[in-house]
Amino acid sequence: MHLITAEFFKRLLTGIFLLICFGGSYLHSALLFSIVLAGTLLIMLIFEWPTLVSLNKPSRLALTILYPIAPMAGLIWLTNTFYTTDFYLPL
């Protein structure tokens, strides 16, 4: 039970930290927000994704391309395209 609680609080603190980073960078500029998103995606793909998915099979490689990369790329595109015209659309 103690291990679950420690892991939960670690994830909670990480989530709060990322929320502050995302919010602050979004309020600053679209470019900074895009850089933070790309950095988060890179860290996620390097450290978290190999523990979740085996990349030996082609179907798993397709999942890697579709699942984390496509939404982040879409969010970066939305931010860079609509940040100046509609501030809330990417959110």
Side-chain angles (χ1 to χ4, degrees):
M1 184 70 178
H2 177 68
L3 183 63
I4 295 172
T5 306
E7 182 70 20
F8 171 75
F9 283 116
K10 183 174 82 168
R11 298 281 180 172
L12 180 67
L13 290 176
T14 303
I16 291 170
F17 175 74
L18 285 175
L19 187 63
I20 292 169
C21 288
F22 288 145
S25 65
Y26 188 79
L27 292 174
H28 185 271
S29 68
L31 178 63
L32 183 61
F33 184 65
S34 297
I35 291 170
V36 169
L37 281 176
T40 303
L41 176 64
L42 185 65
I43 289 170
M44 182 178 68
L45 288 175
I46 290 172
F47 295 111
E48 291 286 331
W49 202 252
T51 61
L52 298 173
V53 176
S54 173
L55 301 178
N56 297 335
K57 297 179 182 177
S59 61
R60 302 263 171 105
L61 184 60
L63 177 67
T64 299
I65 292 170
L66 291 176
Y67 187 66
I69 296 175
M72 286 285 203
L75 187 55
I76 290 170
W77 177 80
L78 276 173
T79 301
N80 290 322
T81 305
F82 296 107
Y83 185 83
T84 56
T85 58
D86 189 3
F87 183 74
Y88 296 107
L89 181 67
L91 295 178

